[in-house]
Amino acid sequence: MERSALQRNQPSPNVASSILDCIGQTPLVRLNALFGAKGAAVYAKLELMNPGGSMKDRPAKYIIEQGLRDGTIKPDTHLIESTSGNLGIGLALAAKSYGLKFTCVVDPKITSTNLRLITYLGAQVEMVKEADEHGSYLQSRIRRVKELAQQDPAGYWINQYANPLNWQAHYHGAGREIVEQMNGQIDVLVCAVSTTGSILGIARRVKEANPKARIVAVDAVGSVIFGTASRPRELPGIGANRVPELYSPDEIDQVIHIDDRESVRGCRKLLEREGIFAGGSSGSLVAALERLVPTLPPSAKVVTVFADRGERYLDSVYDEAWVDGLPSSQVALTMAQ
């Protein structure tokens, strides 16, 4: 019997109702070319395939939707956040979908692509230009965010470094998906850190499936998160010049520090060997895994997370002039907690 016109016009249940519904359910791929069959199996969660191009789509959507549910965020709320780029894109995407005003506070180290995307998505942009003695702009960005929030009675600071909704987004999102995709068989989780929200959220879900899983953080040389000295660094999206309020040291088993040049080499190797065009923190993870994997038993199952796309780093990681301007030597550190 022929379906009615109404039935024919109904979309499939698999059709998303908005771009925000396309966030999540990213694939997990085994890195066979980089880490072959003889050693531990390494799998990468391709968070770079989220519609906004990074894993930061998840907390952007989660924080805004939770805020709208509990009344923290209202239709006239002015969202304000400090970001190196990816969260700004995710928040701009979500804010546009919900008709919310959003101001993104950035600094000169943001990639030109990220800056343009944030602007095209309708966000207002504030650029701080005052660096601290270590060449970082994070403290300046946060000061400006606080000023903007105080000036506008409707202002609301997202505060990704302290907001528990940050880690909860990854717990309910990528963490849940990884456990399901791996059938709970995860021996080592390796994640890059900045706010520490993603590593903590994913790790807490992984630990529920395997309490003995080892949690390895990959940080930038020059970041202070794990107590090492602050030094100039150029790659956005990994490391921080302040310890995040979310940070929980007891939940991290090992820390590997990677410098900017190692990150660049890791990105290039990932693209050459696996055909995965990823951002700077993914290169840091590849470099860290090259140190870590040979120390693991061949039966180990390792999961890592590639946070964002390589297109946003065409004028940095994938630009020879930019790479040539990096310091020729940086001391990489490895710490056991």
Side-chain angles (χ1 to χ4, degrees):
M1 186 175 182
E2 186 178 353
R3 295 180 302 164
S4 68
L6 180 62
Q7 287 175 318
R8 288 197 302 272
N9 291 330
Q10 289 294 324
S12 161
N14 295 322
V15 175
S17 61
S18 80
I19 192 66
L20 296 186
D21 291 336
C22 299
I23 294 171
Q25 299 304 323
T26 56
L28 191 75
V29 60
R30 181 167 178 177
L31 303 180
N32 285 306
L34 280 172
F35 307 99
K38 293 183 179 179
V42 180
Y43 302 84
K45 180 74 164 162
L46 300 185
E47 286 292 275
L48 51 82
M49 294 185 71
N50 279 302
S54 85
M55 70 190 309
K56 293 299 182 76
D57 285 2
R58 294 185 190 263
K61 175 186 177 183
Y62 191 83
I63 290 170
I64 288 177
E65 291 186 343
Q66 289 293 110
L68 288 169
R69 287 191 192 99
D70 64 22
T72 305
I73 296 173
K74 300 177 176 62
D76 64 344
T77 294
H78 176 192
L79 304 173
I80 308 168
E81 181 60 313
S82 157
T83 173
S84 60
N86 284 330
L87 183 62
I89 293 168
L91 286 169
L93 191 67
K96 175 176 282 294
S97 295
Y98 283 104
L100 297 167
K101 181 181 178 182
F102 171 49
T103 296
C104 189
V105 180
V106 302
D107 64 60
K109 290 188 177 181
I110 188 172
T111 68
S112 61
T113 302
N114 280 351
L115 184 59
R116 291 170 70 186
L117 281 169
I118 291 168
T119 304
Y120 290 155
L121 284 166
Q124 298 181 24
V125 174
E126 288 263 341
M127 175 77 73
V128 301
K129 297 182 179 179
E130 180 187 352
D132 63 22
E133 66 272 23
H134 304 292
S136 170
Y137 294 88
L138 179 57
Q139 301 296 348
S140 298
R141 293 202 320 250
I142 290 175
R143 281 196 299 270
R144 185 56 182 152
V145 166
K146 290 179 178 178
E147 290 171 359
L148 291 170
Q150 289 170 358
Q151 292 168 6
D152 188 344
Y156 175 72
W157 179 18
I158 297 290
N159 197 0
Q160 60 177 316
Y161 287 87
N163 194 331
L165 295 177
N166 184 356
W167 73 259
Q168 291 171 23
H170 298 290
Y171 173 90
H172 294 293
R176 174 185 58 79
E177 292 170 20
I178 287 169
V179 169
E180 291 174 354
Q181 288 165 319
M182 293 293 296
N183 293 318
Q185 299 178 35
I186 305 156
D187 300 302
V188 185
L189 175 69
V190 184
C191 290
V193 293
S194 180
T195 68
T196 71
S198 58
I199 191 172
L200 293 177
I202 296 171
R204 287 165 183 166
R205 196 62 178 247
V206 166
K207 283 282 194 178
E208 291 177 1
N210 179 10
K212 293 183 179 180
R214 186 167 184 81
I215 309 302
V216 180
V218 177
D219 197 9
V221 170
S223 168
V224 305
I225 296 174
F226 297 98
T228 53
S230 177
R231 292 176 51 181
R233 50 193 173 83
E234 297 301 323
L235 275 181
I238 181 171
N241 206 38
R242 65 192 287 268
V243 178
E245 291 85 348
L246 292 176
Y247 174 48
S248 179
D250 293 341
E251 297 183 60
I252 308 295
D253 299 302
Q254 183 180 358
V255 182
I256 300 175
H257 285 82
I258 300 295
D259 68 32
D260 289 339
R261 284 190 174 274
E262 290 177 295
S263 300
V264 169
R265 287 193 292 270
C267 284
R268 305 289 181 90
K269 190 174 291 187
L270 180 61
L271 181 57
E272 178 185 349
R273 300 286 300 278
E274 299 283 356
I276 298 174
F277 192 30
S281 67
S282 298
S284 303
L285 289 166
V286 170
L289 285 162
E290 288 181 328
R291 295 188 208 169
L292 180 66
V293 169
T295 70
L296 302 174
S299 60
K301 290 182 171 57
V302 183
V303 174
T304 193
V305 181
F306 292 160
D308 63 355
R309 297 176 187 164
E311 290 93 333
R312 295 172 183 178
Y313 299 81
L314 285 171
D315 53 1
S316 57
V317 170
Y318 298 97
D319 181 79
E320 297 304 330
W322 184 90
V323 175
D324 288 343
L326 292 174
S328 58
S329 62
Q330 294 174 316
V331 179
L333 306 171
T334 303
M335 300 193 306
Q337 295 293 94

